[in-house]
Amino acid sequence: MSVEPRASIVWDYAPSPEATDHLRLSERYGLFIDGAFCEPAQARYEPTINPATEETITEVAWAGPQDVQRAIETARAAQPRWAALPDRERGKYLFRIARLIQERARELAVVETLDGGKPLRESRDVDIPLAAAHFFHYAGWADKLRYGMVARDVAALGVVGQIVPWNFPLLMAAWKLAPALACGNTAILKPAETTPLTALLLAEICQEAELPAGVVSILPGDGAVGAALVRSPGLDKIAFTGSTAVGREIQTELAGRGVELTLELGGKSANIVFEDAALDQAVEGIVNGIFFNQGHVCCAGSRLLIQESVHDELIAKLWTRMGRLRIGDPLDKNTDVGAINSAEQLERIETLVAAGEEEGATRRSVACSLPERGYWFAPTLFTEVSPAHRIAEEEIFGPVVSVLSFRTQAEAIEKANNSRYGLAAGIWTDKGAKAFEVAAALRAGVVWQNTYNHFDPTAAFGGYKESGFGREGGSAGLRPYLKVVR
Amino acid sequence: MDRLPVRKTYKLWIGGAFVRSESGRSDTVGVFNIPRGSRKDVRDAVAAARRAAEPWAKRTAYNRGQILYRAAEALESRRAQLIAVLTDAGSDSSQAEAEVDAAVDVLLHYAGWTDKLQGVLGAINPVAAPFLSFSLPEPTGVVGVVAPDAPALLGLVAEVSPALAAGNTVVAILSESRPLAGLDLAEVLGVSDIPGGVVNLLSGRRGELVPALGAHRDLNAIVDASGEPALGTELDKLAAETIKRTSHHAAASSYELAVEDSLERLAAVTELKTAWHPVGA
């Protein structure tokens, strides 16, 4: 793939694509059940494509209802033995998985980028290292669970179903599996329809780590597989990361069934820039907040709130900076913004952006030549946005930022909190006391001061309001996988 | 001639005021008329609880603890009256005494939680970057409580107290068959220092009030101690519409049962916020 140089880029870098010849992908991948790859009962295989080229990478089995049933049975059978292992031994398996992720980091990063369209720089520097870090963190918890719930005797819940999205495929699998396994649960993971590959490589890693059969099952497929998992009577817990609409369906489906549930859902997070902020630093944070991973981030800083006195200056700086973003081949190590994950997601972004224009907001998109094949959307800035516009209320999940302004701190807080969501927020100010005060007033699960999209396995992550409930990371991330024993 | 007693007209407690149902309807319990709350009363109560939520959450943990302790004092001072209400409703006197005593002690237990919750549920996160990162519990906001029929007083106090201690405001639907203890509790709390709107107590038909509460879009969590599975399922479905936090408890029938899961009860009406503040430049 070639990317045309752009006028606004002052100098051009030579292409620097990451090699792919070291990959050893199979021609087709089966389901991972009972410790082995296997044929799906109904022999359904679907291509998984590279969204940057629309070329098929490989074929992947999609699970059907019988496969879901079999996975649950093997997970159920494996669970008592897994939970009865000495805690430190269970932990050692997780340490092994963490190490193997590190050892195969390059391969995992390239596959993540091929399958999902995210820039290699991000999969290499963020997704894969954080996935390994998450396994390391929870490996160490396995023999310390009683400190995870203060003063209580605890036990695993049993068998858990885990449904993860396509934006951070391996990292979300790590967020789900590591705490579940550390606590002695067995797990059935459903990767996203468009990004199953790194989860299947993780299945290989489970084999290499000699993880006991049935402890982890991996069932690729579309929403029907997730729905079959949720409807199945054999699970003790569902953990879901994805859209609020699907989260609502799952919560409704589980009504009255006594199945534990945690939801990590959508967001429309406010990134608030005060007039005393270091503006150049804030510009970098805004760019990281909304263009990181093409804006396919549940906690993306998609509502930019700027104090009036610095509004015009900041927009000018931001627009200049946006002009220097490099959009194109995700495998190129210099690429800042990669491909949109799927045709379906591209259509959703285009629909909401069109709504933004129709409702009267002012649109500016970076003028860049986009590759002819694949799914692409140029980084886009909306100004003159009213809080009632769809682009100020609805999650776009793309590289589109909606700018609102405010005069006072109280108004900033009110506008930031004026959302059905409450996942994350950013604060840009050099005044410490103000940052603490604003952070306390925001109704959001994560608040970043002078940084954005920063994650760590020791720091709890999760939402307020319609962004979901339950936390992942740290000791708080253990509680959703444990029950109290009397 | 014997003195004619002055009978009390029971009222709903909404926004710190004792009010009749806006619907004008009432039911009879024994010799008393009690208001039959309406869906509009539920909406008014949620609005009052929402207005009271931020100021209540902003009070210091010490102050909230003092206020809940004061409420326990007020409850203790009405001990005889509440025992009489419970015996009139069918409890034998030793049961009634034990229930009121337990209710006082449960309120006291949770009064002591206000300034300990952060230390127990919170954490400093040793992130691999130059940031001071910490995770602290915060109130989820407005909590709906569905109180059990028995024990009517203790079962109510066991659900309302953790929500208040965690910094939430509450709208509670009282037992349909035994609402008097809850309505009397409103008068007790009304003379404590609990600010208006922090607790709202409604009597009426469960089938009418509970779905209105569960469906309210400005409610953050539901705690269901009704013990009715069908109602619990309906509440779960209504809650899903706005991703409310739900929990279901068996009615707490003793002090021990009301406090043994106290941290889980507090956590069910608590959010955890993670903040990242830069260290250095």
Side-chain angles (χ1 to χ4, degrees):
Chain A
M1 183 193 328
S2 69
V3 180
E4 300 284 322
R6 291 207 309 279
S8 54
I9 287 185
V10 186
W11 68 88
D12 216 28
Y13 292 156
S16 175
E18 175 72 25
T20 56
D21 55 3
H22 56 91
L23 298 182
R24 326 171 253 125
L25 288 173
S26 305
E27 302 252 308
R28 70 172 19 181
Y29 282 87
L31 309 172
F32 186 68
I33 301 175
D34 207 15
F37 285 96
C38 60
E39 294 271 325
Q42 286 165 338
R44 180 174 180 192
Y45 286 85
E46 296 287 340
T48 186
I49 66 155
N50 177 348
T53 62
E54 299 177 58
E55 286 164 6
T56 295
I57 306 167
T58 180
E59 277 191 337
V60 172
W62 279 21
Q66 292 151 283
D67 305 307
V68 170
Q69 201 47 46
R70 194 162 76 83
I72 292 173
E73 283 161 16
T74 61
R76 179 63 64 192
Q79 198 270 329
R81 285 194 307 276
W82 176 245
L85 279 181
D87 290 341
R88 66 175 184 277
E89 302 301 328
R90 222 170 44 244
K92 281 185 202 166
Y93 283 109
L94 297 184
F95 279 121
R96 273 191 183 179
I97 292 172
R99 257 295 182 256
L100 287 163
I101 289 174
Q102 288 181 320
E103 284 168 13
R104 293 178 67 171
R106 183 177 176 218
E107 172 196 2
L108 287 164
V110 173
V111 171
E112 200 73 297
T113 284
L114 277 177
D115 206 18
K118 65 170 61 197
L120 183 83
R121 197 161 49 84
E122 292 174 7
S123 45
R124 182 194 63 197
D125 296 349
V126 180
D127 292 63
I128 310 304
L130 274 178
H134 221 80
F135 273 104
F136 268 111
H137 180 74
Y138 282 102
W141 269 118
D143 57 357
K144 303 169 193 68
L145 297 178
R146 63 204 172 100
Y147 301 104
M149 283 235 231
V150 179
R152 310 308 299 267
D153 290 325
V154 293
L157 292 173
V159 180
V160 303
Q162 305 181 310
I163 303 168
V164 295
W166 43 260
N167 56 343
F168 295 92
L170 183 71
L171 182 57
M172 290 301 106
W175 280 26
K176 292 284 179 285
L177 289 172
L181 302 188
C183 293
N185 302 280
T186 54
I188 298 157
L189 178 85
K190 193 203 90 70
E193 180 180 339
T194 59
T195 55
L197 288 183
T198 46
L200 292 163
L201 297 185
L202 184 62
E204 291 179 1
I205 286 172
C206 291
Q207 289 181 318
E208 288 172 51
E210 297 167 340
L211 191 71
V215 172
V216 169
S217 302
I218 294 183
L219 302 181
D222 60 6
V225 180
L229 262 182
V230 171
R231 292 200 188 105
S232 160
L235 295 174
D236 300 297
K237 178 194 167 70
I238 294 286
F240 171 76
T241 296
S243 72
T244 292
V246 175
R248 183 178 293 127
E249 284 177 35
I250 292 173
Q251 193 178 357
T252 306
E253 181 63 36
L254 295 182
R257 282 177 41 194
V259 175
E260 295 289 319
L261 174 67
T262 44
L263 297 172
E264 205 271 84
L265 307 176
K268 192 75 189 177
S269 298
N271 201 359
I272 308 168
V273 184
F274 289 99
E275 60 191 0
D276 53 44
L279 291 188
D280 291 317
Q281 187 194 3
V283 165
E284 293 308 310
I286 295 162
V287 165
N288 184 48
I290 188 62
F291 302 122
F292 175 67
N293 201 28
Q294 298 72 247
H296 300 330
V297 184
C298 49
C299 51
S302 53
R303 281 188 300 151
L304 177 58
L305 270 57
I306 308 177
Q307 195 149 24
E308 260 183 21
S309 50
V310 292
H311 177 276
D312 294 352
E313 183 187 358
L314 186 67
I315 291 295
K317 283 175 183 281
L318 175 61
W319 181 242
T320 303
R321 178 68 181 86
M322 284 172 65
R324 293 184 182 142
L325 290 170
R326 289 162 200 276
I327 301 112
D329 184 2
L331 279 172
D332 192 305
K333 294 190 274 283
N334 292 320
T335 292
D336 297 308
V337 180
I340 300 303
N341 184 268
S342 66
E344 188 188 348
Q345 184 57 28
L346 179 59
E347 191 184 327
R348 173 165 174 77
I349 295 167
E350 286 169 342
T351 301
L352 276 163
V353 165
E357 289 183 284
E358 279 160 28
E359 290 184 330
T362 304
R363 172 186 175 178
R364 273 185 271 185
S365 290
V366 170
C368 55
S369 64
L370 297 171
E372 281 183 12
R373 301 208 62 190
Y375 315 122
W376 304 93
F377 198 87
T380 294
L381 172 71
F382 272 109
T383 49
E384 320 298 328
V385 178
S386 130
H389 286 165
R390 284 183 68 192
I391 54 166
E393 285 192 335
E394 295 181 36
E395 183 173 45
I396 299 174
F397 223 64
V400 181
V401 63
S402 302
V403 181
L404 299 152
S405 65
F406 66 89
R407 283 189 185 172
T408 63
Q409 179 176 315
E411 188 189 352
I413 292 166
E414 191 193 325
K415 281 187 167 161
N417 287 340
N418 180 21
S419 171
R420 71 180 63 184
Y421 297 113
L423 191 48
I427 303 169
W428 296 85
T429 174
D430 268 359
K431 294 196 173 153
K434 176 154 123 187
F436 279 96
E437 185 180 34
V438 175
L442 293 172
R443 301 290 291 159
V446 183
V447 180
W448 287 290
Q449 183 199 349
N450 295 359
T451 185
Y452 207 96
N453 277 342
H454 211 138
F455 309 99
D456 193 283
T458 67
F461 185 92
Y464 283 39
K465 300 192 273 186
E466 293 185 38
S467 291
F469 46 74
R471 292 295 179 268
E472 298 180 281
S475 62
L478 291 172
R479 290 183 202 116
Y481 291 101
L482 291 172
K483 65 185 172 197
V484 172
V485 183
R486 300 208 174 84
Chain B
M1 178 187 161
D2 287 342
R3 178 180 174 275
L4 198 61
V6 179
R7 275 188 197 146
K8 177 159 76 181
T9 294
Y10 278 96
K11 292 189 178 179
L12 309 176
W13 193 35
I14 299 176
F18 291 93
V19 295
R20 292 190 176 82
S21 169
E22 62 77 36
S23 68
R25 301 173 306 177
S26 62
D27 291 307
T28 306
V29 174
V31 297
F32 296 109
N33 286 324
I34 62 151
R36 192 198 302 170
S38 67
R39 288 186 289 266
K40 174 74 163 68
D41 291 321
V42 170
R43 291 197 295 273
D44 290 345
V46 173
R50 176 59 65 193
R51 280 193 299 276
E54 193 179 321
W56 179 242
K58 272 192 169 170
R59 283 172 185 265
T60 63
Y62 180 58
N63 184 239
R64 273 205 310 274
Q66 292 270 296
I67 290 173
L68 294 181
Y69 179 73
R70 172 81 181 143
E73 287 178 332
L75 187 56
E76 176 86 36
S77 73
R78 298 280 195 106
R79 188 172 177 274
Q81 180 200 342
L82 280 155
I83 290 169
V85 169
L86 293 178
T87 44
D88 285 351
S91 299
D92 70 39
S93 60
S94 65
Q95 267 180 341
E97 284 176 25
E99 183 178 343
V100 176
D101 290 348
V104 174
D105 292 355
V106 167
L107 196 46
L108 205 65
H109 172 84
Y110 285 100
W113 260 116
T114 59
D115 58 356
K116 296 158 193 78
L117 190 58
Q118 281 202 341
V120 175
L121 282 183
I124 298 282
N125 311 314
V127 296
F131 289 86
L132 167 63
S133 175
F134 51 85
S135 299
L136 292 179
E138 291 188 348
T140 190
V142 179
V143 175
V145 168
V146 184
D149 289 326
L153 178 67
L154 176 58
L156 172 68
V157 170
E159 306 306 332
V160 171
S161 305
L164 296 179
N168 300 283
T169 58
V170 171
V171 176
I173 310 297
L174 302 174
S175 160
E176 181 173 330
S177 60
R178 299 169 140 209
L180 291 189
L183 292 173
D184 275 316
L185 180 69
E187 294 180 14
V188 174
L189 300 180
V191 296
S192 73
D193 290 331
I194 290 180
V198 168
V199 182
N200 303 272
L201 300 175
L202 305 179
S203 55
R205 305 283 164 90
R206 252 188 204 153
E208 182 180 358
L209 302 185
V210 172
L213 185 65
H216 200 293
R217 301 189 71 87
D218 203 23
L219 195 76
N220 298 93
I222 292 261
V223 178
D224 166 34
S226 70
E228 293 181 23
L231 190 66
T233 301
E234 185 183 0
L235 269 175
D236 281 351
K237 285 183 181 160
L238 292 168
E241 194 52 42
T242 52
I243 320 290
K244 293 179 184 75
R245 294 84 177 103
T246 57
S247 49
H248 304 276
H249 303 139
S253 54
S254 68
Y255 169 82
E256 288 73 19
L257 290 171
V259 305
E260 74 165 355
D261 290 329
S262 59
L263 189 58
E264 285 72 40
R265 286 171 186 266
L266 291 158
V269 288
T270 297
E271 307 287 340
L272 199 65
K273 177 190 280 175
T274 295
W276 294 62
H277 295 285
V279 173

